[in-house]
Amino acid sequence: MTGHFSRRGFMHCAACATGAAGAAALSPAALAQARAAALRGQEVVHEFPYGAVKLTGGRIKEQFDHIHAHYLALDNDRVLKVFRENAGMPAPGPDMGGWYDRDGFVPGLTIGQYISGLARLGAATGDQAAHDKVAALVRGWGEAMIRADNPYAGPKAQEQWAAYVMDKYVVGLVDAYRLSGVEEARTLLPAIIEKCRPYISPVSRDRIGKVDPPYDETYVISENLFHVAEITGDRKYHDMAVHYLLNREWFDPLAAGQDVLPTKHAYSHTIALSSGAQAYLHLGDEKYRQALVNAWRFMEPQRFASGGWGPEEQFVPLGEGRLAASLNSSTAHFETPCGAFADLKLARYLIRFTGQPMYGDGLERTLYNTMLATRLPDSNGGYPYYSDYSSDGQKRYYHQEWPCCSGTLVQGVADYVLNVFFHDDDSLLVNLFTPSEVTWDRSGGAVTVVQETEYPATDTVRLRVAEPGNGRFALKLRVPAWTDGARLTVNGQAVAATPGELATITRQWAAGDVVEMVVPQPLRALPIAPENPETAALMRGAVMYVGLNPWEGIDQQVVALPQALEPMPGHDESYRAKVDDRNLVFVPYYDVDTETSATYFKIA
């Protein structure tokens, strides 16, 4: 691995020098404290930092650990090769292939996301090996980027995706600096942005649908540019972030209550809402918060049972048969993990801005049925891209290696720790039910709460106060809107729990106090759309169930869901229905590996 590039070498990049001469550097910890103090007034509840929440067991941790190991094992030379070749440097290691190589669809796109995801994993787990890998990748990539005349690793990245690729570069460097403490990343941020800027449209341009240009998605870059302004102290990146907000076509009409989703490219406009979220935090303009709230409301009719929206990567006009028709074509799918990553980020921002449990319900559904349900990657660039909801659906890899979803997969899974608990100054909010532990540093003394559960396989969630601090805080639990008959106790004493609300327990806590909540997960049929109530998917609580190994013609047969179901003996999460003289077995979509499955059925 080549050594550190020098600060002198950086300054020879004259176009980059302007951005390097910002305010005195703050440590990542000091930056985080300053940022939290500056932005706190805009939030109802706050995320915990990476490292405060530990996953301790269960299905979510199983995938988290697998993804951690998978990306830690990526070959650094292979990941860096296309950038070293672009700089005319020795470039050992095998080619990546697929999207990533010089002649690929978006050359070098995901390097920043790999760095970002590894930094998040390192911060979440304390794994020094992940931080070391981040430092090595930034060092090798930075040297190649400074030496190269062109910051893009291949023609298509430059010509079609300049802003989109730059945004991925930037998030990698932001997280490398903030989460892994890599100082070179702070130095590289202005250097790389200034190298990319000549290739980026001077104005933000909308993208309509999937196939029509322009493709570069300038409107996604603002979120991370706000972060760059914080890190460098350079106001011009704040102004650049504001400049590229897609106000006229997106935020202004959404804030005014206009549904402008139809025909929009779904993933990029959803991830652009994260730029709106940062605009709300940095500018204090209520327009952006309202735009997010309304966008979520308009997305709800667009969603499949999984929580993902579709079809075919764009929002569609409402109307008779709008989604049911898609089930007869190749468009009955949702872009996963990219779409899931964008949707989970949106849900977290809305939880932070409103404290409302409905967004926690949505986050849970999307997490279990999309990100958690993706097929695990292989060793040579095979990654999931679509979730297939047709009557003979399969979890296939994308037809080209190293697609965009290979980047959002590691970022989204690393972010699992952000979804579990939230807090304000006086309350701890339990949002996601999974084995975990949170340490909450607060003025009244550190609080540690341990969560034990086998949910969603079973219905019981148990919380134990391990360290109470001064004991003066409230505990809030999300009671899902879809449940019926939820029961909540504190040390055996009943407490009210209303579906669709936060159950709040305010008391003087002591070490050893136990809160137990039983969340019944009823089986129900969820129609694909209000205008097509006879076509539905099976849900158990937040989890989407699919018919395993369906036969030809099943889409034309009536399956009386859920009343035709009976539990599989000895199985907590499996059911079967008799369809004519055959058994149709239903399992959670996240349990499906390479088998064929069917999601939607005629129920009447």
Side-chain angles (χ1 to χ4, degrees):
M1 184 66 67
T2 309
H4 290 254
F5 69 91
S6 68
R7 188 171 292 270
R8 179 180 179 184
F10 156 69
M11 293 305 292
H12 282 166
C13 177
C16 313
T18 305
L26 293 174
S27 71
L31 272 169
Q33 290 177 347
R35 178 172 180 266
L39 304 182
R40 181 162 295 217
Q42 308 295 332
E43 296 186 343
V44 175
V45 295
H46 316 298
E47 287 180 340
F48 279 96
Y50 296 96
V53 177
K54 303 294 186 186
L55 302 176
T56 58
R59 183 176 296 274
I60 289 175
K61 182 178 180 355
E62 183 180 332
Q63 188 198 35
F64 182 91
D65 290 347
H66 189 108
I67 293 301
H68 184 171
H70 174 85
Y71 284 86
L72 190 64
L74 289 181
D75 182 337
N76 288 8
D77 283 336
R78 189 179 188 189
V79 171
L80 294 170
K81 183 173 183 176
V82 70
F83 292 98
R84 288 168 167 165
E85 289 175 335
N86 186 52
M89 298 169 60
D95 293 332
M96 292 279 275
W99 277 29
Y100 199 90
D101 282 352
R102 177 174 175 77
D103 60 352
F105 185 54
V106 194
L109 165 67
T110 45
I111 187 170
Q113 292 169 293
Y114 302 156
I115 291 170
S116 167
L118 285 161
R120 296 177 191 196
L121 288 165
T125 63
D127 181 16
Q128 187 59 44
H131 292 312
D132 291 345
K133 189 176 184 73
V134 167
L137 286 170
V138 169
R139 185 165 61 245
W141 181 47
E143 183 178 22
M145 292 293 279
I146 294 301
R147 291 191 182 189
D149 294 328
N150 188 316
Y152 295 101
K156 285 189 177 180
Q158 168 190 321
E159 294 163 7
Q160 295 184 3
W161 305 103
Y164 177 60
V165 172
M166 186 193 79
D167 182 62
K168 310 313 175 198
Y169 290 171
V170 168
V171 73
L173 295 172
V174 165
D175 286 347
Y177 178 68
R178 282 185 167 169
L179 301 178
S180 293
V182 179
E183 180 62 32
E184 290 96 330
R186 182 183 186 276
T187 307
L188 276 167
L189 271 168
I192 288 179
I193 292 171
E194 296 306 320
K195 277 199 164 191
C196 291
R197 283 184 73 168
Y199 301 94
I200 295 172
S201 168
V203 297
S204 201
R205 304 184 297 183
D206 202 1
R207 180 180 180 188
I208 305 299
K210 177 184 176 182
V211 299
D212 296 326
Y215 306 111
D216 54 348
E217 302 175 9
T218 47
Y219 47 88
V220 306
I221 67 178
S222 297
E223 179 187 23
N224 289 311
L225 288 172
F226 280 119
H227 298 322
V228 175
E230 293 166 0
I231 290 170
T232 63
D234 194 328
R235 174 78 184 189
K236 76 176 178 181
Y237 296 116
H238 172 279
D239 294 343
M240 187 177 174
V242 173
H243 175 74
Y244 280 101
L245 291 166
L246 195 66
N247 288 315
R248 181 173 61 86
E249 300 93 335
W250 192 229
F251 294 115
D252 288 345
L254 283 174
Q258 299 175 36
D259 183 359
V260 289
L261 271 65
T263 75
K264 298 286 190 186
H265 181 249
Y267 164 71
S268 64
H269 285 84
T270 303
I271 204 70
L273 294 169
S274 291
S275 289
Q278 287 297 320
Y280 171 62
L281 290 170
H282 285 82
L283 307 179
D285 189 339
E286 177 66 20
K287 170 180 77 175
Y288 295 104
R289 177 187 176 278
Q290 192 60 49
L292 268 66
V293 169
N294 288 340
W296 184 277
R297 176 164 58 89
F298 296 140
M299 285 177 180
E300 286 300 285
Q302 299 271 356
R303 294 185 187 277
F304 289 111
S306 66
W309 11 255
E312 195 55 38
E313 297 185 42
Q314 71 182 59
F315 295 116
V316 295
L318 305 183
E320 182 66 29
R322 97 192 133 76
L323 285 182
S326 77
L327 298 181
N328 297 318
S329 72
S330 62
T331 61
H333 52 226
F334 168 59
E335 187 180 0
T336 312
C338 283
F341 176 68
D343 202 50
L344 292 170
K345 285 184 69 175
L346 174 60
R348 283 198 303 275
Y349 275 126
L350 285 166
I351 291 169
R352 290 163 61 183
F353 295 167
T354 72
Q356 293 298 310
M358 63 182 286
Y359 303 115
D361 286 1
L363 182 151
E364 179 184 47
R365 184 170 74 156
T366 297
L367 189 155
Y368 274 112
N369 303 315
T370 61
M371 190 70 80
L372 186 65
T374 57
R375 185 179 176 185
L376 293 172
D378 70 13
S379 298
N380 200 37
Y383 286 85
Y385 191 94
Y386 288 125
S387 296
D388 184 350
Y389 306 135
S390 64
S391 59
D392 60 347
Q394 285 186 285
K395 294 182 178 179
R396 301 179 179 89
Y397 292 138
Y398 193 59
H399 65 275
Q400 296 185 59
E401 295 82 11
W402 311 103
C404 53
C405 287
S406 69
T408 49
L409 177 62
V410 63
Q411 289 180 294
V413 171
D415 284 350
Y416 280 173
V417 294
L418 302 182
N419 300 317
V420 186
F421 298 95
F422 294 81
H423 71 96
D424 60 22
D425 290 343
D426 302 307
S427 304
L428 178 65
L429 169 59
V430 184
N431 182 64
L432 197 65
F433 310 129
T434 191
S436 53
E437 178 179 310
V438 60
T439 299
W440 177 21
D441 290 323
R442 58 193 301 263
S443 58
V447 172
T448 301
V449 174
V450 177
Q451 182 178 184
E452 299 167 339
T453 183
E454 295 181 1
Y455 179 96
T458 60
D459 298 340
T460 300
V461 177
R462 186 176 185 270
L463 297 153
R464 176 174 52 84
V465 178
E467 297 288 344
N470 65 8
R472 294 192 295 272
F473 62 92
L475 189 63
K476 298 181 178 181
L477 292 88
R478 177 178 60 86
V479 185
W482 43 255
T483 194
D484 185 21
R487 303 185 303 278
L488 179 62
T489 62
V490 181
N491 297 333
Q493 299 298 309
V495 177
T498 303
E501 298 183 6
L502 296 175
T504 301
I505 308 165
T506 303
R507 69 194 306 270
Q508 181 71 38
W509 296 96
D513 282 346
V514 173
V515 175
E516 189 166 283
M517 185 165 70
V518 178
V519 186
Q521 300 172 75
L523 293 166
R524 68 193 190 282
L526 187 62
I528 191 168
E531 63 270 20
N532 300 108
E534 73 287 349
T535 301
L538 177 67
M539 303 293 294
R540 176 175 172 262
V543 177
M544 184 178 80
Y545 276 58
V546 294
L548 199 60
N549 298 322
W551 52 88
E552 185 176 354
I554 187 64
D555 55 322
Q556 300 303 314
Q557 294 180 274
V558 173
V559 184
L561 298 175
Q563 59 269 28
L565 296 171
E566 63 177 15
M568 290 279 287
H571 293 240
D572 288 332
E573 298 183 89
S574 301
Y575 299 84
R576 64 187 175 201
K578 205 74 170 178
V579 182
D580 295 335
D581 60 345
R582 305 179 70 167
N583 285 305
L584 182 61
V585 176
F586 286 83
V587 298
Y589 188 53
Y590 57 62
D591 263 347
V592 176
D593 184 18
T594 57
E595 304 98 326
T596 302
S597 64
T599 303
Y600 285 94
F601 299 88
K602 287 186 175 182
I603 62 171

